[in-house]
């Protein structure tokens, strides 16, 4: 079966090859005729279409040699014994006799396979090639239109040129971009293009007949001659600036239009900082590394190597020194968007606390001959000094310590409940002593809270609700206060350096301050009147809640000092509830800091000395008026009959090209009007472009609208008053 398949495929390939050989000479003839009559561009189109048609026809003719054709060929040759259909039937559906016949036919074909390939049509092939080549040779040898009797010839004295304008048959513009752009050579039929800067341009034009001379006329007055070579008029130039140009010849072309050539300059690479997110980063104490990531973008590609500049500042004040170093980095990713990453070792850089580390990445693009440079913004790592770190640590400690004053009421409740549970195991005297000690703790806590309401000391002791309550003057109270000084600190201020006593009931001036006590810290390093003044900064609701908590503490203290902790618990719980409300308040304490204003120099007040004073009126800068010639040209363009000096207008456009919104559009309007002087639409287009080029007048103050009847009566009444 494989032998039959190979023979069948060979027959198909022979049919396709015969068809191609028959069609190629006619495709060649059609291409040469198109080249001779319509030019190179149309010839390329005709040749491509002809080859595709030949290939499609060869494929279609080869597919006609299908299975039915194969069966007919086998049965016609007698090799299959009229049983060719059994070769392609399903063997499972055949009876034993048919299967035996199929095996016999396959064996016969294996021994002697008939020739299935079609014969070569030598006569037809010869005729086709002779005819096709003859047509092609005739087309190539036929006289050109430019060399015929009516062709243009160089001007010779006594001769005349044929009448009629020239026509541009075909045009081709080849653009060879600079090598650093990585762009391939582009060939196009259109003469308008947008090309990279420094691209090499090659023009190739064909006219219907040979002109005397031809050139490219640019809008800035420059001319680029076209030189004839094998019927093509060619020129080369380098694109450096955007220009407008047109094709000019002698005799003149029948249709002349402007072409625009835009030049795209290579942009410098841009660098973006990905990490860190901020330009100024505050380091953490003990930081050893600093991760940096950058992304560089360019229109044609960024160089793989970049330079990371690192500057380390050392010292302070006027004794700051700068240590600069650089590191070479290799980027990753696409050339148009490369990423650079590096991790700085602060210890290796010698960065110490209080120093700044400044980093900046510098990249280059592939521009030739001189690469363009792009730099990132500087990122700064500021390592905290020892003083700043200590201040931040102390601030954190203060924020964590001050709220502890608002949590000691719970400890008093816990101690009271524990004492109640131990009442049966304690003697009556010990029970009263421990209850009195808890009452002293309650008293100390009450005095601390009283500071936030402006209570410097208890002053004269107030008797508790019952007559047998021990006062703060009793030896028991003094003893318990002294016993608890090491846990809670003294409860009143000592006699400070200001020379007056702040009062107190448990302690004296000789008692050393205890660390952690707010009253002792204030009495030793500050003035306790500051707390009384700061208390006025509490909002009224917070003051009322804190006052209620103090009242409940007073009641709980009285019960505890009498040895009745069971009766003190309700007051203590109420005090704890009020303290929680105070703790959840928006503001509890705010130290007042006065503004630090500079001292007033009394000697300068009302002295009448105006030395050194100058007028504060801003100087008015003279505005350059618009060019009157341009204004006049704009006005004349509004008049259809107004004459216009296009050369002067083109010169003004070239001098002010850097300041115009679109200089090429204005130049195109001028040139178009030069080509078609009687075109009304061209005049209006140029007038619109000039209007865009004129400077806008400055906005003026709008006049106030006239007053209505009621407003006028009001104004009249004002004027009538003496």
């Amino acid at each position: 079966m494989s032998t039959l398949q190979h023979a069948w495929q060979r027959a198909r390939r022979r049919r396709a090859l015969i068809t191609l050989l028959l069609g190629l000479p006619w495709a060649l003839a059609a291409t040469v005729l198109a080249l001779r009559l319509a030019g190179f561009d149309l010839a390329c189109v005709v040749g491509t279409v002809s080859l595709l048609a030949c290939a499609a026809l060869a494929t279609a003719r080869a597919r006609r040699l299908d299975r039915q054709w194969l069966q007919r060929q086998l049965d016609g040759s007698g090799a299959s014994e009229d049983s060719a259909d059994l070769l392609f039937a399903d063997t499972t559906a055949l009876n034993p006799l048919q299967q035996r016949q199929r095996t016999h036919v396959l064996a016969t074909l294996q021994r002697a396979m008939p020739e299935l390939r079609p014969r070569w049509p030598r006569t037809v092939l010869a005729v086709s090639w002779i005819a096709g080549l003859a047509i092609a040779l005739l087309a190539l040898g036929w006289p050109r239109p430019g060399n015929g009797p009516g062709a243009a010839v160089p001007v010779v004295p006594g001769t005349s040129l044929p009448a009629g304008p020239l026509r541009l048959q075909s045009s081709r513009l080849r653009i060879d971009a600079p090598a650093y752009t990585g762009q391939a050579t582009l060939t196009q039929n259109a003469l308008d293009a947008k090309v990279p800067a420094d691209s090499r341009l090659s023009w190739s034009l064909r006219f219907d007949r040979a002109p005397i001379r031809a050139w490219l006329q640019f809008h800035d007055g420059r001319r680029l001659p076209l030189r004839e070579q094998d019927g093509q008029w060619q020129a080369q130039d380098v694109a450096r600036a955007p220009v407008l140009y047109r094709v000019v010849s002698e005799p003149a072309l029948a249709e002349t239009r402007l072409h625009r050539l835009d030049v795209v300059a290579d942009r410098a690479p841009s660098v973006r900082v990905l990490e860190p997110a901020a330009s100024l980063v505050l380091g953490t104490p003990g930081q050893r590394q600093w991760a940096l990531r950058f992304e560089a973008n360019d229109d044609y590609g960024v160089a793989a190597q970049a330079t990371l500049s690192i500057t380390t500042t050392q010292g302070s004040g006027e004794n700051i020194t700068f240590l600069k170093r650089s590191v070479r980095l290799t980027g990753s990713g696409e050339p148009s968007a490369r990423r650079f990453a590096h991790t700085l070792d602060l210890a290796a850089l010698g960065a110490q606390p209080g120093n700044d580390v400044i980093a900046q990445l510098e990249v280059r693009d592939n521009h030739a001959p001189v690469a363009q440079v792009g730099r990132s913004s500087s990122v700064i790592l500021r390592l905290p000094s020892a003083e700043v770190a200590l201040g931040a640590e102390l601030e954190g400690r203060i924020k964590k310590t001050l709220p502890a004053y608002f949590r000691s009421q719970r400890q008093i409740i816990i101690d009271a409940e524990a004492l109640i549970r131990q009442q049966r195991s304690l003697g009556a005297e010990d029970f009263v002593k421990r209850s009195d000690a808890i009452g002293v703790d309650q008293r100390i806590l009450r005095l601390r809270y009283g500071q936030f309401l402006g209570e410097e000391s208890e002053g004269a002791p107030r008797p508790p609700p019952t007559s047998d309550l021990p006062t703060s003057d009793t030896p028991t109270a003094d003893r318990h206060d002294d016993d608890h000084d090491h846990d809670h600190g003294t409860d009143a201020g000592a006699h400070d350096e200001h020379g007056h006593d702040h009062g107190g009931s448990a302690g004296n001036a000789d008692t050393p301050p205890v660390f952690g006590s707010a009253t002792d810290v204030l009495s030793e390093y500050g003035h306790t009147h500051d707390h009384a003044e700061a208390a006025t900064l509490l909002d009224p609701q917070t003051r009322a809640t804190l006052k209620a908590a103090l009242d409940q503490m007073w009641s709980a203290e009285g019960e505890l000092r009498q040895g009745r902790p069971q009766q003190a618990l309700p007051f203590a719980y109420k005090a704890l509830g009020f303290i929680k409300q105070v703790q959840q308040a928006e503001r509890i304490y705010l130290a007042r800091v006065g503004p630090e204003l500079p001292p007033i120099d009394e000697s300068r007040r009302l002295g009448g000395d105006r030395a050194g004073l100058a007028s504060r009126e801003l100087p008015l800068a003279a505005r350059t008026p618009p060019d009157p010639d341009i204004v006049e040209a704009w006005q004349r363009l509004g008049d259809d009959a107004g004459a216009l000096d296009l050369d002067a207008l083109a010169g003004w456009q070239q001098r002010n090209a850097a300041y115009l919104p679109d200089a090429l559009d204005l130049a195109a309007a001028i040139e178009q009007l030069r080509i078609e002087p009687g075109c009304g639409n061209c005049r209006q287009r140029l007038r619109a472009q000039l209007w865009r080029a004129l400077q806008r007048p400055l906005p003026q103050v709008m006049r106030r609208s006239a007053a209505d009847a009621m407003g006028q009566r009001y104004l009249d009444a004002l004027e009538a008053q003496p």
Side-chain angles (χ1 to χ4, degrees):
M1 193 67 178
S2 60
T3 304
L4 180 61
Q5 291 289 341
H6 289 311
W8 186 14
Q9 294 300 326
R10 286 195 300 269
R12 283 188 165 189
R13 287 194 292 269
R14 174 70 64 83
R15 174 65 64 87
L17 183 58
I18 292 173
T19 306
L20 283 176
L21 292 177
L22 288 174
L24 282 178
W26 301 105
L28 177 62
T31 303
V32 174
L33 283 174
L35 177 65
R36 194 70 185 90
L37 298 177
F40 177 79
D41 297 335
L42 186 60
C44 292
V45 175
V46 172
T48 303
V49 173
S50 300
L51 290 177
L52 292 176
C54 291
L57 182 61
T59 303
R61 286 177 57 82
R63 288 180 177 178
R64 290 181 182 178
L65 305 184
D66 52 4
R67 184 180 300 176
Q68 287 76 13
W69 173 86
L70 181 59
Q71 292 179 9
R72 291 195 300 270
Q73 293 295 322
L74 293 178
D75 292 340
S77 64
S80 63
E81 300 178 358
D82 294 334
S83 301
D85 56 335
L86 298 178
L87 300 177
F88 304 98
D90 186 6
T91 56
T92 59
L94 299 178
N95 55 39
L97 181 60
Q98 291 175 333
Q99 292 180 0
R100 184 174 180 180
Q101 178 65 16
R102 182 177 182 275
T103 303
H104 173 70
V105 171
L106 287 175
T108 303
L109 294 176
Q110 189 71 22
R111 292 191 302 269
M113 175 66 66
E115 181 62 38
L116 299 178
R117 292 179 298 179
R119 296 180 179 179
W120 287 101
R122 294 183 175 83
T123 304
V124 178
L125 286 174
V127 172
S128 296
W129 277 96
I130 292 174
L133 291 176
I135 295 175
L137 291 175
L138 287 174
L140 290 175
W142 197 264
R144 296 182 179 180
N147 297 330
V153 295
V155 178
V156 179
T159 62
S160 60
L161 294 175
L166 288 175
R167 295 186 181 276
L168 190 63
Q169 282 189 340
S170 63
S171 60
R172 184 173 57 183
L173 176 61
R174 175 173 173 171
I175 304 170
D176 294 314
Y180 70 85
T181 63
Q183 297 183 2
T185 300
L186 176 64
T187 302
Q188 61 182 32
N189 297 328
L191 297 181
D192 299 86
K194 179 181 290 187
V195 300
D198 299 329
S199 296
R200 186 163 189 83
L201 307 176
S202 301
W203 288 270
S204 180
L205 309 177
R206 180 182 290 275
F207 300 93
D208 60 347
R209 64 178 188 272
I212 299 175
R213 58 175 179 166
W215 66 91
L216 300 179
Q217 180 68 51
F218 296 92
H219 79 280
D220 55 1
R222 184 168 57 96
R223 288 187 175 187
L224 183 63
L226 292 169
R227 295 178 175 82
E228 193 269 342
Q229 183 178 359
D230 297 334
Q232 301 285 338
W233 291 78
Q234 301 175 354
Q236 290 81 30
D237 195 16
V238 178
R240 304 189 186 278
V243 291
L244 295 168
Y245 71 98
R246 67 179 188 272
V247 180
V248 183
S249 66
E250 290 183 5
L253 288 172
E255 181 181 358
T256 302
R257 61 181 296 266
L258 285 173
H259 305 283
R260 179 165 180 161
L261 191 63
D262 289 308
V263 176
V264 182
D266 183 14
R267 295 182 291 105
S270 61
V271 187
R272 184 166 59 97
V273 181
L274 300 179
E275 185 180 354
S279 59
L280 177 60
V281 180
L282 299 179
T284 57
Q287 182 174 350
R288 296 180 177 272
Q289 293 182 337
W290 188 26
L292 301 173
R293 288 196 305 123
F294 304 88
E295 183 182 49
N297 297 274
D298 189 72
D299 41 9
Y300 298 121
V302 180
Q305 299 294 324
T307 303
L308 179 64
S309 301
I310 306 168
T311 304
T312 306
T313 64
Q314 297 178 351
S316 61
E318 298 181 356
N319 298 324
I320 295 180
T321 59
F322 298 90
L323 180 60
K324 296 184 179 180
R325 55 174 58 88
S326 60
V327 179
R328 299 288 293 178
L329 302 182
T330 301
S332 61
E334 297 294 331
S336 58
R338 293 190 186 273
R339 292 200 172 190
F340 300 87
H342 186 68
T343 301
L344 295 179
D345 188 351
L346 301 180
L349 294 175
Q352 301 294 331
N355 297 163
D356 289 349
V357 180
I358 307 171
Q360 185 183 44
L361 185 69
E362 178 181 296
V363 300
R364 299 176 182 272
D365 62 2
N366 300 323
H367 187 275
V370 180
Q372 300 182 103
V373 179
R375 296 179 179 87
S376 70
S377 58
S378 297
V379 288
I380 305 173
L381 173 65
R382 180 157 297 168
L383 299 176
S385 60
E387 293 79 3
V388 174
L390 180 59
E393 185 178 359
L394 287 177
E395 182 181 358
R397 289 179 178 177
I398 292 173
K399 290 181 179 179
K400 295 178 181 178
T401 302
L402 287 179
Y405 289 174
F406 300 95
R407 293 198 299 265
S408 57
Q409 181 65 24
R410 185 180 299 276
Q411 185 62 42
I412 293 175
I413 296 175
I414 294 174
D415 293 343
E417 291 178 344
L419 180 59
I420 294 173
R421 289 194 297 269
Q422 298 174 4
Q423 182 176 6
R424 294 183 180 180
S425 60
L426 296 176
E429 184 178 357
D430 292 339
F431 180 79
V432 173
K433 287 181 179 180
R434 294 184 59 177
S435 178
D436 180 67
I438 299 174
V440 172
D441 292 341
Q442 180 68 83
R443 175 177 173 273
I444 294 173
L445 182 62
R446 177 175 57 81
L447 292 177
R448 289 177 179 172
Y449 281 107
Q451 295 172 2
F452 295 96
L453 291 180
E455 299 179 2
E456 293 184 90
S457 64
E458 229 178 348
R462 182 170 51 161
T466 57
S467 60
D468 57 344
L469 174 64
T471 63
S472 60
D473 297 332
T474 60
T476 305
D478 292 340
R479 176 173 53 81
H480 287 296
D481 288 350
D482 295 337
D483 293 340
H484 287 78
D485 278 347
H486 65 280
D487 293 328
H488 304 283
T490 58
D491 54 359
H495 186 75
D496 59 14
E497 61 184 2
H498 292 276
H500 58 278
D501 191 3
H502 291 269
S505 60
N508 48 54
D510 298 330
T511 304
V514 179
F515 179 78
S517 174
T519 57
D520 291 333
V521 171
L522 289 173
S523 63
E524 182 173 2
Y525 298 103
H527 199 290
T528 54
H529 282 292
D530 294 341
H531 283 263
E533 295 174 359
T536 60
L537 297 177
L538 296 175
D539 59 276
Q541 183 179 0
T542 304
R543 286 177 55 85
T545 306
L546 188 55
K547 184 64 172 64
L550 294 179
D551 292 341
Q552 297 299 323
M553 289 182 184
W554 176 266
S555 301
E557 177 189 346
E559 297 295 339
L560 289 170
R561 307 267 321 244
Q562 294 181 85
R564 295 199 296 266
Q566 294 89 345
Q567 288 78 357
L569 281 179
F571 302 107
Y573 273 111
K574 290 181 181 180
L576 178 61
F578 287 127
I579 289 174
K580 286 185 177 180
Q581 297 180 21
V582 174
Q583 186 181 9
Q584 296 172 1
E586 295 181 358
R587 290 185 302 176
I588 297 175
Y589 171 75
L590 178 63
R592 287 197 307 181
V593 178
E596 298 180 359
L597 300 177
I600 299 176
D601 187 1
E602 300 290 344
S603 62
R604 298 185 60 186
R605 299 187 65 186
L606 304 178
D609 184 10
R610 300 178 61 85
L613 298 180
S615 176
R616 295 185 178 181
E617 295 181 359
L618 296 177
L620 297 178
R623 187 170 185 268
T624 304
D627 193 337
D629 295 337
I630 303 304
V631 176
E632 182 182 0
W634 179 81
Q635 293 173 349
R636 288 187 177 183
L637 285 171
D639 185 5
D640 294 340
L644 195 64
D645 188 356
L646 294 180
D647 293 335
L649 195 58
W652 179 86
Q653 181 270 339
Q654 295 176 16
R655 292 191 303 270
N656 298 272
Y659 308 101
L660 297 176
D662 195 335
L664 283 186
D665 280 352
L666 179 57
I670 296 173
E671 293 300 319
Q672 192 65 34
L673 185 59
R674 193 193 303 274
I675 295 172
E676 304 178 52
C679 177
N681 292 333
C682 300
R683 295 178 67 91
Q684 294 302 321
R685 178 187 174 191
L686 177 57
R687 193 166 190 261
Q689 292 295 330
L690 282 180
W691 176 257
R692 294 180 57 193
L694 291 175
Q695 295 183 359
R696 297 292 184 270
L698 292 176
Q700 303 294 328
V701 178
M702 298 183 63
R703 186 180 297 276
R704 182 179 297 176
S705 58
D708 55 6
M710 181 179 297
Q712 189 62 42
R713 289 196 300 270
Y714 176 75
L715 295 177
D716 295 341
L718 289 178
E719 294 179 356
Q721 289 183 358

